[in-house]
Amino acid sequence: MGVGVAQLNKSGGLWKWRSFSGQPKRTVMWKWVCGFMLFSLGVISLFTGHVVSHLEWAQQLSKRSLLDMSRKEPIDVWKSKYSNFFYGCTERGNSFPPAVQEHKSNGYLLIAASGGLNQQRTGITDAVVVARILNATLVVPELDHHSYWKDDSDFNDIFDVNWFISSLTNDVTIVKRVPDRVMRSMEKPPYTMRVPRKSTPEYYLDQVLPILSRRHVLQLTKFDYRLANDLDEDMQKLRCRVNYNALRFTKRIQSVGMKVVKRMRKMAKRFIAVHLRFEPDMLAFSGCDFGGGEKERAELAEIRKRWDTLPDLDPLEERKRGKCPLTPHEMGLMLRALGFANNTYIYVASGEIYGGEKTLRPLRELFPNFYTKEMLASDELKPMLPFSSRLAAIDYTVSDESDVFITNNNGNMAKILAGRRRYMGHKRTIRPNAKKLSALFMDREKMEWQTFAKKVKSCQRGFMGDPDEFKPGRGEFHEYPQACICQRPFSYDKTSTDDEEKDIPGEFHNSTSSGHGHLSSADNERDEVFPD
């Protein structure tokens, strides 16, 4: 349109020039200038309108790039810079109907969980979802008494059973036992079956529901990872409501766990928790070599016989693939290289360490402020010593409350806690990039410390628990609960301070009250089936 005006002015100017040849040339030139100005204003108007209409889009594009920019920034080992923009959200959708009442349900679902504490936790979480899929009444799940640890604890010894039932009232009807009248009316004992791993909702509806409807009481055994990873959003949020709210430890466990946390906080404003995972059973299961020679190989091979289905593995190849847990010494070197100082307070969550004090000595030298639950609460722990799951619950509590949680090997506790800490506002969670670190440790003596530290920081990017690691479809849902993480609009200002946290709802602060008032990816199946 501006061009047309210019052309008209130009034509008019030429016509006038010819018609009034006696008119001064500057009059004609002035009209040329006016025409050019009109043309320019038209172009500017169009361009400005385009820019203004897309200003918000441009700002959003700039804000969305913040997480990408963070990858080039120095790593803050204590807190993710952008964690305040993310929070846990598990609200029920408007289309999510209330739970089916007991007398109207399709029957009673019995669940026998499998493995250690955190493996059983996944089974309990999925059991609630399966009961919802089947419109069944869920009987409080039974815990595994026959796994590696031979722990006789029942559900109510570890979890607050009344809270579990009441907090899920709107989702699933849960009872403590099948009513006697129902058991007396049955002509046969409850039907028992085991479903395939990662079964879809359709499988449960097609293969399990008909049996439940016919027999009215059905038991599912070895129930761990028996439900598909991908479900619709409402079911994923239900998973989160179970795991992060309904599964609350007993008051006794919470009390001891929080005493340990308070004793750590009394010594230091902040501390890190390391899930060392260097017990004999873990090392045997991994099939790796840890430098202990023939004696170590023989001892671990004997333990390995407990699992009939484990394949023969090449220890060197497993290390190259990143399947071997770091030794305590390697863990200490990684943490020092990342920037944790010698005076950092460290809580070690662990059972029996293979090699005992000799194995732990290098880590203690790197971090003298070294503590365990046994060191901080020996008297309170005495009643729990025969029960490995209750001891594991203490480690879970302290690790969850820590400022930084470091995993070692992607086992069940590591996955469950990593997912929970993401849900609680992306509290810093570090997972060693074992595949790249193994090569660095092998060449450690060939490089200066500064070079080694720089390489460690480089290979750990993407393994620090930052929000930008949170990619759709990555890993198991229990580790990456995408459907339960909501994002605030970006309004980041580099001049802002920690005062921003005042605007965050208390529910999502990394505080003691939020952490345990509501307590709560496998690369292959071999990782999943291993009990904690």
Side-chain angles (χ1 to χ4, degrees):
M1 186 173 180
V3 174
V5 171
Q7 287 175 339
L8 286 173
N9 285 337
K10 183 177 179 181
S11 300
L14 288 172
W15 179 81
K16 289 179 181 179
W17 178 263
R18 288 169 183 162
S19 299
F20 305 96
S21 56
Q23 193 175 10
K25 290 184 179 180
R26 61 186 176 185
T27 301
V28 177
M29 293 301 297
W30 172 248
K31 292 181 178 179
W32 274 81
V33 170
C34 289
F36 179 76
M37 290 175 64
L38 286 172
F39 169 79
S40 300
L41 285 171
V43 172
I44 291 171
S45 177
L46 289 171
F47 176 74
T48 304
H50 177 77
V51 170
V52 170
S53 66
H54 289 82
L55 181 60
E56 184 177 352
W57 173 84
Q59 290 174 337
Q60 291 299 322
L61 182 64
S62 174
K63 291 170 183 176
R64 286 173 187 168
S65 67
L66 286 174
L67 292 181
D68 294 329
M69 292 167 57
S70 71
R71 299 181 182 182
K72 301 177 182 179
E73 299 173 349
I75 296 173
D76 181 344
V77 293
W78 288 102
K79 184 180 180 182
S80 172
K81 186 174 184 179
Y82 302 103
S83 61
N84 288 350
F85 297 121
F86 299 87
Y87 63 94
C89 51
T90 60
E91 297 81 4
R92 297 172 183 83
N94 294 329
S95 61
F96 200 68
V100 174
Q101 296 303 306
E102 182 178 354
H103 66 280
K104 294 182 180 180
S105 72
N106 290 322
Y108 294 88
L109 185 65
L110 302 169
I111 295 292
S114 178
L117 174 66
N118 294 287
Q119 190 171 344
Q120 291 181 116
R121 193 182 189 104
T122 64
I124 296 166
T125 298
D126 289 347
V128 174
V129 180
V130 168
R132 174 78 191 198
I133 292 169
L134 297 174
N135 278 333
T137 296
L138 178 67
V139 179
V140 171
E142 297 178 4
L143 302 189
D144 188 351
H145 295 165
H146 306 289
S147 62
Y148 176 79
W149 298 269
K150 302 293 188 294
D151 190 324
D152 293 331
S153 298
D154 291 322
F155 189 100
N156 62 341
D157 293 319
I158 298 174
F159 302 107
D160 184 335
V161 65
N162 292 326
W163 171 259
F164 176 71
I165 294 171
S166 63
S167 64
L168 294 169
T169 299
N170 293 328
D171 297 307
V172 174
T173 298
I174 305 174
V175 297
K176 294 182 180 180
R177 59 196 297 269
V178 178
D180 291 337
R181 57 177 176 77
V182 175
M183 295 299 290
R184 287 195 300 267
S185 66
M186 294 175 59
E187 297 179 359
K188 299 178 182 179
Y191 188 85
T192 299
M193 65 181 294
R194 185 186 304 179
V195 298
R197 284 184 171 275
K198 299 183 179 179
S199 294
T200 63
E202 291 72 24
Y203 178 90
Y204 281 97
L205 292 172
D206 295 341
Q207 303 297 324
V208 180
L209 181 57
I211 299 173
L212 175 64
S213 299
R214 186 170 64 252
R215 301 295 295 268
H216 209 56
V217 179
L218 172 65
Q219 182 177 46
L220 302 181
T221 62
K222 297 286 288 183
F223 200 82
D224 60 335
Y225 298 98
R226 303 290 165 177
L227 182 61
N229 186 50
D230 296 322
L231 304 174
D232 67 53
E233 184 172 304
D234 281 332
M235 290 303 184
Q236 298 289 50
K237 286 182 178 292
L238 175 55
R239 264 177 165 160
C240 294
R241 288 197 293 276
V242 180
N243 202 0
Y244 306 138
N245 181 46
L247 281 176
R248 185 166 72 179
F249 292 131
T250 62
K251 291 182 180 178
R252 174 63 179 165
I253 290 175
Q254 288 190 68
S255 174
V256 176
M258 293 313 299
K259 281 182 180 178
V260 175
V261 172
K262 289 176 182 177
R263 288 165 187 171
M264 288 295 295
R265 295 264 182 235
K266 189 175 181 180
M267 294 183 289
K269 182 179 179 181
R270 55 189 184 183
F271 70 94
I272 65 177
V274 180
H275 186 217
L276 207 50
R277 208 63 185 96
F278 210 70
E279 295 91 343
D281 58 321
M282 180 67 245
L283 306 190
F285 186 83
S286 71
C288 298
D289 190 329
F290 299 93
E294 188 58 38
K295 180 176 181 291
E296 175 194 286
R297 284 190 287 273
E299 290 176 348
L300 297 184
E302 186 63 29
I303 298 173
R304 193 172 172 79
K305 292 178 182 178
R306 295 171 182 170
W307 295 283
D308 299 331
T309 59
L310 293 184
D312 291 330
L313 301 171
D314 183 328
L316 183 58
E317 286 301 314
E318 290 301 290
R319 187 165 294 279
K320 288 180 179 178
R321 292 175 61 218
K323 298 298 182 181
C324 300
L326 272 58
T327 67
H329 187 205
E330 290 170 339
M331 181 66 80
L333 289 174
M334 180 197 75
L335 294 175
R336 291 298 299 275
L338 285 174
F340 289 103
N342 175 260
N343 63 354
T344 300
Y345 278 72
I346 177 174
Y347 175 86
V348 175
S350 178
E352 174 194 0
I353 296 297
Y354 182 75
E357 184 57 34
K358 181 181 178 181
T359 302
L360 285 174
R361 189 176 301 120
L363 178 60
R364 286 183 184 273
E365 291 174 354
L366 290 167
F367 292 96
N369 298 316
F370 176 109
Y371 294 91
T372 64
K373 58 184 176 294
E374 289 82 7
M375 296 168 65
L376 295 170
S378 58
D379 291 338
E380 294 91 337
L381 286 178
K382 285 180 181 178
M384 301 183 183
L385 293 179
F387 307 102
S388 60
S389 289
R390 299 180 211 184
L391 295 175
I394 301 300
D395 279 338
Y396 180 104
T397 302
V398 182
S399 297
D400 185 32
E401 289 289 335
S402 67
D403 297 277
V404 180
F405 175 59
I406 299 97
T407 73
N408 189 16
N409 183 276
N410 201 27
N412 294 296
M413 179 170 167
K415 292 179 200 171
I416 291 289
L417 267 174
R420 175 176 169 80
R421 290 172 70 88
R422 288 185 172 99
Y423 176 83
M424 297 303 296
H426 282 83
K427 295 164 67 177
R428 177 67 81 198
T429 303
I430 301 173
R431 177 163 62 94
N433 184 353
K435 188 173 183 179
K436 290 187 176 181
L437 286 175
S438 62
L440 275 181
F441 287 127
M442 289 170 66
D443 293 337
R444 167 70 189 93
E445 301 301 325
K446 300 177 183 178
M447 64 184 83
E448 296 291 330
W449 172 257
Q450 290 79 2
T451 303
F452 174 76
K454 183 178 180 181
K455 289 180 178 292
V456 168
K457 290 173 183 175
S458 176
C459 75
Q460 277 301 119
R461 287 192 178 274
F463 292 79
M464 300 292 289
D466 285 311
D468 61 354
E469 299 171 17
F470 205 72
K471 299 177 177 64
R474 179 176 183 177
E476 292 290 332
F477 182 78
H478 295 291
E479 184 177 6
Y480 294 93
Q482 296 98 327
C484 305
I485 306 293
C486 291
Q487 181 176 333
R488 295 183 180 86
F490 283 123
S491 57
Y492 178 75
D493 180 357
K494 287 188 177 181
T495 63
S496 65
T497 66
D498 289 341
D499 290 340
E500 290 178 340
E501 293 187 0
K502 295 178 182 178
D503 298 327
I504 302 175
E507 177 184 354
F508 305 117
H509 276 297
N510 300 343
S511 66
T512 297
S513 59
S514 65
H516 294 287
H518 299 291
L519 270 176
S520 54
S521 81
D523 293 313
N524 53 47
E525 188 168 297
R526 185 167 67 90
D527 291 331
E528 294 175 356
V529 299
F530 180 67
D532 309 281

